[in-house]
Amino acid sequence: MLSSIFSSRTGFWPAGLLGLAALLGPAESMIRTIERSFGEKARFTYPANDAQKLDWALDYLAQGRPISTLIVGNSQCEYGVDPAWLEPGSYNLTFSGSSFIAGLKLVRTLDLAPKQIVICISPADLTRDMVTRGDQIVAAAQAKRGLVRGSSFRDKVTSWRQRFENEVGAGFAVVFRSGDPHYRRLLSDFGHLLTRRDAWPDTLEAWGRFWTSGQSRKPQQVDARYYTARFDRGFLGLVMIRPWNSADFDSGAYLPVVNNYRATVFPDYDQNGNRYWEEAKALVADLSRSGIRIVLLRMPVAKDFAVIEDEATGFSRHLAAFATKLGLRSLDGAALAPDMARDVASYRDAAHLHQQSAQIFTNRLAKELAQGR
């Protein structure tokens, strides 16, 4: 009797391992293929709000990878600079509707030590609305760190247990990438996939979206004009389904932005710009003293939008004076990409690039940054 029980048990384990391999094998192969194409921790959707984007940034930073080049700025930079096309270790720490000032504050709040910071700077960054929203993001980051620092003994014991479990899980995920919680899917996700033929992923990107979010369809935005294909190291890759042409760009993507800036951004800059320049000066000087190389970058914009900004605010003069006073290198996106200003198909709207044009621009930026060292 004992021998028969022993035999059944010894047969169970090989069968169990074979069954596990049969389940994990296809998933493991697919996930490794996705990571070879898009990198680890890429997400094929977009953050719902600032809090989620901050969580995603903290998730990446928690891996402890050293940062070589840090990008800070607003949504122009968020959609326009792809760290995958810069040097290894680059990260785009930007938030829509907030100022680069928030990014500079987060360097200290999160104890970051980049070798280089590229500040994407525009008149909108030096307005009360943008700075206020950025300060809220910084406060949220401080609160998250404060919860850890001020935890109780019981919380600390729990955190040690969680840390141990995380270490074990991380070790498993090194061997089996499909074991990474980043790719954890519910049975209902697979059920939806099996019961809906129209939901079946048809591209590698769609498979990546499924494994990281449970969704496979493109999340189309703005009358199916474009969709956000992926989130990778802070960059939002926006794919144009229907690129603009000269006939519809002005009314649909250019004039609405220009009119909004004239009504809100330019008056705000005139009223508050001086004090935010001073705040930025103090932050940049502090980081420069730490040995961090600082580079200023004005992103490329469509048509004559930069001229309109300068006429309304004098921004070019202010930027040049700021760079001179602090001894900073200042790059002009229009000079790096003069062809993009003339090609409206390079833009989502008057001030934002999309994924393809962002990659072209970032490639040129990378060469310029390398030459300046």
Side-chain angles (χ1 to χ4, degrees), residues 22 41 47-48 78 94 124 142 210 216 218-219 230 273 307 314 356 363:
K41 295 296 183 181
E78 183 179 37
T94 58
Q142 292 171 337
F210 170 76
S216 56
K218 299 175 182 177
R230 64 186 178 92
V307 175
Q356 184 178 11
N363 184 46

Short mmCIF file of all heavy atoms in Angstrom, two decimals, residues 22 41 47-48 78 94 124 142 210 216 218-219 230 273 307 314 356 363:
data_model
loop_
_atom_site.label_atom_id
_atom_site.label_comp_id
_atom_site.label_asym_id
_atom_site.label_seq_id
_atom_site.Cartn_x
_atom_site.Cartn_y
_atom_site.Cartn_z
N ALA A 22 2.68 23.84 -19.60
CA ALA A 22 1.75 23.99 -20.73
C ALA A 22 0.96 25.29 -20.62
O ALA A 22 0.63 25.92 -21.63
CB ALA A 22 0.80 22.79 -20.78
N LYS A 41 7.99 46.84 -17.91
CA LYS A 41 7.14 47.78 -17.19
C LYS A 41 6.39 48.75 -18.10
O LYS A 41 5.81 49.73 -17.63
CB LYS A 41 7.94 48.58 -16.15
CG LYS A 41 8.52 47.74 -15.04
CD LYS A 41 7.44 47.11 -14.18
CE LYS A 41 8.02 46.33 -13.02
NZ LYS A 41 7.00 45.69 -12.19
N PRO A 47 -2.59 56.76 -17.85
CA PRO A 47 -3.05 56.93 -16.47
C PRO A 47 -4.34 57.72 -16.40
O PRO A 47 -4.53 58.69 -17.14
CB PRO A 47 -1.89 57.68 -15.80
CG PRO A 47 -1.16 58.35 -16.92
CD PRO A 47 -1.31 57.45 -18.09
N ALA A 48 -5.21 57.32 -15.51
CA ALA A 48 -6.51 57.98 -15.39
C ALA A 48 -6.41 59.37 -14.79
O ALA A 48 -7.25 60.23 -15.05
CB ALA A 48 -7.45 57.12 -14.55
N GLU A 78 5.58 65.46 -22.10
CA GLU A 78 5.00 64.16 -21.78
C GLU A 78 4.72 63.36 -23.06
O GLU A 78 4.94 62.15 -23.10
CB GLU A 78 3.71 64.38 -21.00
CG GLU A 78 3.02 63.14 -20.52
CD GLU A 78 1.78 63.47 -19.72
OE1 GLU A 78 1.08 64.45 -20.08
OE2 GLU A 78 1.49 62.76 -18.75
N THR A 94 7.05 63.79 -16.17
CA THR A 94 6.22 64.93 -16.53
C THR A 94 4.75 64.62 -16.25
O THR A 94 4.34 63.46 -16.24
CB THR A 94 6.37 65.30 -18.02
OG1 THR A 94 6.02 64.15 -18.81
CG2 THR A 94 7.80 65.69 -18.34
N ALA A 124 3.52 78.41 -20.48
CA ALA A 124 2.48 77.78 -19.65
C ALA A 124 3.04 77.26 -18.34
O ALA A 124 2.34 77.20 -17.33
CB ALA A 124 1.82 76.65 -20.43
N GLN A 142 5.05 63.55 -1.33
CA GLN A 142 5.54 63.69 0.05
C GLN A 142 4.70 62.87 1.01
O GLN A 142 5.22 62.26 1.95
CB GLN A 142 5.53 65.16 0.45
CG GLN A 142 6.55 66.01 -0.30
CD GLN A 142 6.38 67.50 -0.05
OE1 GLN A 142 5.28 67.95 0.31
NE2 GLN A 142 7.43 68.27 -0.27
N PHE A 210 -3.42 43.78 -23.50
CA PHE A 210 -4.18 42.77 -22.77
C PHE A 210 -3.45 42.34 -21.51
O PHE A 210 -4.02 42.30 -20.42
CB PHE A 210 -4.46 41.55 -23.65
CG PHE A 210 -5.02 40.40 -22.88
CD1 PHE A 210 -6.35 40.40 -22.48
CD2 PHE A 210 -4.21 39.32 -22.53
CE1 PHE A 210 -6.87 39.34 -21.73
CE2 PHE A 210 -4.73 38.26 -21.80
CZ PHE A 210 -6.06 38.27 -21.40
N SER A 216 -7.93 44.84 -24.85
CA SER A 216 -7.21 44.59 -26.10
C SER A 216 -7.54 45.63 -27.18
O SER A 216 -6.74 45.88 -28.06
CB SER A 216 -7.52 43.19 -26.64
OG SER A 216 -8.92 43.02 -26.81
N LYS A 218 -8.14 49.29 -28.94
CA LYS A 218 -7.51 50.59 -28.84
C LYS A 218 -8.45 51.57 -28.13
O LYS A 218 -9.60 51.71 -28.54
CB LYS A 218 -7.19 51.14 -30.24
CG LYS A 218 -6.23 50.28 -31.05
CD LYS A 218 -6.08 50.83 -32.45
CE LYS A 218 -5.17 49.95 -33.28
NZ LYS A 218 -5.06 50.42 -34.69
N PRO A 219 -7.98 52.24 -27.08
CA PRO A 219 -8.83 53.22 -26.38
C PRO A 219 -8.90 54.53 -27.17
O PRO A 219 -8.18 55.47 -26.88
CB PRO A 219 -8.11 53.40 -25.04
CG PRO A 219 -6.68 53.13 -25.35
CD PRO A 219 -6.66 52.11 -26.45
N ARG A 230 0.70 53.58 -25.48
CA ARG A 230 1.47 52.98 -24.40
C ARG A 230 2.00 54.06 -23.46
O ARG A 230 2.05 55.24 -23.79
CB ARG A 230 2.65 52.17 -24.94
CG ARG A 230 3.69 53.01 -25.68
CD ARG A 230 4.76 52.16 -26.32
NE ARG A 230 5.71 52.95 -27.07
CZ ARG A 230 6.83 53.43 -26.57
NH1 ARG A 230 7.14 53.21 -25.31
NH2 ARG A 230 7.67 54.14 -27.31
N GLY A 273 4.39 85.34 -13.95
CA GLY A 273 5.62 84.79 -14.50
C GLY A 273 6.88 85.16 -13.74
O GLY A 273 7.75 84.31 -13.50
N VAL A 307 5.94 82.15 -32.26
CA VAL A 307 5.94 83.60 -32.51
C VAL A 307 4.81 84.26 -31.73
O VAL A 307 4.99 85.33 -31.13
CB VAL A 307 5.82 83.89 -34.01
CG1 VAL A 307 5.71 85.39 -34.27
CG2 VAL A 307 7.00 83.31 -34.77
N GLY A 314 6.90 87.85 -24.44
CA GLY A 314 8.33 88.11 -24.42
C GLY A 314 9.12 86.93 -23.91
O GLY A 314 10.24 87.06 -23.38
N GLN A 356 5.04 59.05 -33.29
CA GLN A 356 6.01 58.94 -34.38
C GLN A 356 6.90 60.17 -34.47
O GLN A 356 8.12 60.07 -34.58
CB GLN A 356 5.28 58.71 -35.72
CG GLN A 356 6.24 58.48 -36.88
CD GLN A 356 5.50 58.21 -38.18
OE1 GLN A 356 4.29 58.37 -38.27
NE2 GLN A 356 6.23 57.79 -39.20
N ASN A 363 15.23 61.53 -31.16
CA ASN A 363 16.47 61.04 -31.76
C ASN A 363 17.42 62.21 -32.06
O ASN A 363 18.62 62.14 -31.81
CB ASN A 363 16.15 60.27 -33.04
CG ASN A 363 17.39 59.65 -33.66
OD1 ASN A 363 18.19 59.03 -32.98
ND2 ASN A 363 17.53 59.81 -34.97
#
